[in-house]
Amino acid sequence: MSSERLIYLPLGGAGEIGMNAYVYGYGKPGKERLIVVDLGVAFPDMDSSPGVDLILPDITWLKERRNQIEAVFVTHAHEDHVGAVAHTYDQLKAPIYARSFTSNIARRKMDEYGHPEDAITTVSAWPEQVTAGPFTVGFLPISHSIPESSALVIDSPEGRVIHSGDFKLDVTPVVGEAFDPALWTEVCKDGVKALICDSTNVFSPHAGRSEATVGPAIEKLVSEATGMVVATTFASNVARVKTLADAGARSGRSIVLLGRAMRRMVEASVETGVLRDFPTTVSPENARAIPRENLMLLVTGSQGERRAASAQLARGKYQGMEMKEGDTFLFSSKTIPGNERGVIRIINAFSEMGVDVVDDSNGDYHVSGHANRPDLETLHDIVKPQILIPMHGEHRHLREHVKIADGKGIKGVLAVNGMMIDLSGNTPKVAEYVETGRTYIDGSVQIGALDGVVRDRIRMALNGHVVVTVILDENDEPLGDPWCEVMGLPEQGRSKAPLVDVLEADLSQWLGRAKPATLQDDDKLNDGLKRTVRQSAQDEIGKKPEATIVVSRLS
Amino acid sequence: MSSERLIYLPLGGAGEIGMNAYVYGYGKPGKERLIVVDLGVAFPDMDSSPGVDLILPDITWLKERRNQIEAVFVTHAHEDHVGAVAHTYDQLKAPIYARSFTSNIARRKMDEYGHPEDAITTVSAWPEQVTAGPFTVGFLPISHSIPESSALVIDSPEGRVIHSGDFKLDVTPVVGEAFDPALWTEVCKDGVKALICDSTNVFSPHAGRSEATVGPAIEKLVSEATGMVVATTFASNVARVKTLADAGARSGRSIVLLGRAMRRMVEASVETGVLRDFPTTVSPENARAIPRENLMLLVTGSQGERRAASAQLARGKYQGMEMKEGDTFLFSSKTIPGNERGVIRIINAFSEMGVDVVDDSNGDYHVSGHANRPDLETLHDIVKPQILIPMHGEHRHLREHVKIADGKGIKGVLAVNGMMIDLSGNTPKVAEYVETGRTYIDGSVQIGALDGVVRDRIRMALNGHVVVTVILDENDEPLGDPWCEVMGLPEQGRSKAPLVDVLEADLSQWLGRAKPATLQDDDKLNDGLKRTVRQSAQDEIGKKPEATIVVSRLS
């Protein structure tokens, strides 16, 4: 029996939907040659990550082993798979492989961050394969909500592993490659050791619908609308953007793309040849001369993002365009759980303008890009793996997917971020637990999710902040009165006097009574002032604020 | 033509779902005698109201006219209808009328805030009526997701107005009064001037389902579960609580109520006689001796609220009870938009414990308490009002409801908070616009939503906070170096030196070059220091923090 092993280690995406980063390794324990599949981001929210710009998986484990990394493979150009490639490049410096459309998007990101575009090598679809140390990797086309999505066929001395990437089973995807069951059957015919599989829609009980099915409803809506039509969808859903644009063109409307991502995706699609016959678009400036009933805007912001085009239009003018009573706004999208408030805000703003909002509540204008439960089972039956490791899901999705596998006689392994699985031999086992976490991009800095910065922001948001300034003279005696500044606290409390006056009075009193030993001791003084001001606030306004104490000693 | 008029003025609930407060008045303009229908609260969220405890409608307009207020009527005991009664009592001091169960809940709140319970008078259902100045008001029973819900029949010299309250059309509500179409037809037979109507579910296209329909599925789930069963629902949904408890009892399980609201609602229901034959409950302490398969917990927290029982159980032990692998957790509820993240967090925590989570995604375990579109139309047809004023909805709901009314030949009026409608004569018109807003309960203080406290908290959450301390001697010269404290900002930035060192160095430099005129001028000095530290931070960490400048002058 070989002392070498095949390992699988998720660092992101197995325990959340987002920030995908999966590692495969082959070799002697501790000396494995590694490949990384996807390096993606997740998006922050006010509840848990206020002020943060982007969330990345913590790649410390990879950084420490950068000399073992053969290559990074990117399955498709969604942000949660490609979004961290540029942010992590300096730390890993590994060659990156992707197919043409994905490379186009990835190179734009590398360029934006000043990294060499030639770090990315464009690879063709199966049967082309890339040799990466002990691995041979091929990109196997699969349908999804972005062009040129691929699964990876990962061969090593331990056998063939299929990493599904994100997928659905769509034989009429409108743009991009149709799912080809014959090709997949061929690739899997000699046996597949493990299928590492997308679990997003494991709880959706009905078979997924093809992208082609939304065309007719969209056509009808666009042709019957009397004013301007504005439609939002994910810019990366090129098939949907085309469906919408075609519907607009067929009903005599000029197409305007609003939002940087929208224009960039269409550009990349045309450049790489995945999109043909896209209607000629019109700039916002030129659109002003066109009657509203002959206009259709395709805009970013389907998730209610504050700075995207949808939200901007909900607040007023954007690039010279504005909504008017009688216009139609279509959400050709699903609201990702967590984004409801922003989307609802936009819908009501449009309602106040007299704009008719159409969304997907009846299932007419959007289909998912992920496989539902019956589709997952279909893929299991085609691939026939010995082992199934769910990925791309929260714990509840992974757990359910394992249940399905076990019910079909496939060995299911519930591997969450940090669980390294040894796939060698016949029985998968946990090899070790690796420390994982999240890195935040915050302004121009990378910070650890747990290092206190965000925790302190949340505390200030919940409790407000008081700053106490005290000056002590050369004899450690208070010089003047303590001074309070507050932020995020009410002007007045119980006493109906200015809050700062009440706090300063209580601090003065405490200082007046403090013993010399306390006044001379930085820690004791600091603690005493903090305790006093927080208690004073609690009595006055019913809250204990965050407190910063600044003691200046003149000696 | 009388110079007296009948007015309607929403102060809360017409433009949002929550914090309901509606005013009716009759009399000469500016001298109307007023009645208030409902005084409710809304709940804060991290996005828009961090640190806030409760949200109330701004009742300044009512406060200024307290001598004109005859009475407050409360339609039912949901928090968004009764939750502000105690908080506003001191400012209004008006007599409060409610039916028995609602009074029970309202009195508990009055007592909690030290107000006299006898400010609330218990009224029986129609045909009993209360005289309130020029008004005669009766409580007309209607089905909803809480017992003894009522519409109000509001009579004045201008005719009969029906204020629907919250409602659905349920003839088998399990607990509470069944909808009685014959009674409603009778009450409306002589003509109704206006129907002010719940709009919550105007976008739901299918007729609502009766509370009785969830019983069988719940029974099945509870009887087939092998471990402990824990079910969450709104404590105020007494019918559901009974359905769950009965299912538990029938499958040999002892019932434990966890969560203060759950116990209080069952108590109030038993006290007022709306709930009969509730299974005997067992305390958490005694539950420990009972085998898991013979236990059922009914718990608060269906909306993922951090301190409620569901979230507590997801984090560990609660009142001695804890979840184990093999247990079942049922969400017999719908997640209100905006609450998804908290609920999902709980579901994944249970998943990690090996607990099977069942929710309402397939529509089996929950029905709505509000009328869907076809039910609204049924009520329109029974009431046959001349005028329909939608309430209890966001703008989009009100707008859609007006569309429905107009389509049926009923005059629809889109009245948002602050729009006073004159209902006199045949044609409703806008009489005036009144200033409205939101009041936040924050700790022990009431603050205005727009007065900057919350805005500043959000700013600190997004940008962090830096405190700059500078001391100037008697000659207005800097004494020592400026001192920085930061909160919610990274330790280091671009320079790889401690952030505070970089900020202090830049501030020192600026101070060293500042002209005497600047150093002597508080505003110029403050502005200069603020600008300098924020720009320094922007260069170093890519963010401009909130800045508090403290200048101490020793002169």
Side-chain angles (χ1 to χ4, degrees), chain B residues 121-263:
Chain B
T121 302
T122 299
V123 180
S124 295
W126 187 270
E128 179 174 333
Q129 288 171 299
V130 174
T131 301
F135 293 104
T136 318
V137 180
F139 286 78
L140 191 59
I142 188 99
S143 39
H144 186 41
S145 43
I146 190 169
E148 280 185 10
S149 292
S150 310
L152 297 178
V153 183
I154 300 171
D155 293 332
S156 71
E158 271 289 334
R160 175 157 285 183
V161 165
I162 305 280
H163 183 101
S164 76
D166 288 5
F167 77 98
K168 67 185 293 189
L169 304 184
D170 195 342
V171 295
T172 48
V174 177
V175 171
E177 294 126 326
F179 174 62
D180 185 344
L183 173 61
W184 274 73
T185 303
E186 173 70 24
V187 168
C188 299
K189 73 182 196 306
D190 293 329
V192 171
K193 177 179 260 296
L195 170 64
I196 285 71
C197 194
D198 178 0
S199 310
T200 313
N201 280 3
V202 71
F203 289 111
S204 299
H206 307 296
R209 292 172 294 150
S210 168
E211 182 61 34
T213 60
V214 293
I218 288 175
E219 288 271 348
K220 185 170 192 293
L221 178 87
V222 174
S223 64
E224 289 178 358
T226 50
M228 180 169 76
V229 173
V230 182
T232 185
T233 189
F234 279 113
S236 54
N237 193 339
V238 180
R240 186 72 51 76
V241 173
K242 173 160 170 61
T243 299
L244 290 163
D246 283 349
R250 276 198 281 274
S251 74
R253 295 175 183 273
S254 297
I255 309 299
V256 183
L257 301 178
L258 273 195
R260 201 169 63 120
M262 190 63 78
R263 287 191 304 275

Side-chain angles (χ1 to χ4, degrees), chain A residues 46-47 51 338 340-341 348 351-352 354-356 394-396 399 403 444 457 461 465 487-488 541-543, chain B residues 46-47 51 338 340-341 348 351-352 354-356 394-396 399 403 442 444 457 461 465 488 541-543:
Chain A
M46 197 67 186
D47 291 359
E340 290 77 5
R341 284 188 221 130
N348 280 307
S351 176
E352 288 180 39
V355 172
D356 291 321
E394 300 157 10
H395 191 282
R396 55 184 175 137
R399 183 164 176 264
K403 264 194 201 170
S444 55
R457 286 181 194 167
H465 196 185
M487 196 165 181
I541 60 168
K543 283 180 108 75
Chain B
M46 198 66 186
D47 291 358
E340 289 79 4
R341 284 189 221 128
N348 281 306
S351 177
E352 289 181 39
V355 172
D356 292 320
E394 300 158 12
H395 191 282
R396 55 182 176 139
R399 183 165 176 263
K403 265 194 200 170
D442 189 75
S444 55
R457 287 181 194 168
H465 196 186
I541 59 169
K543 282 180 108 72

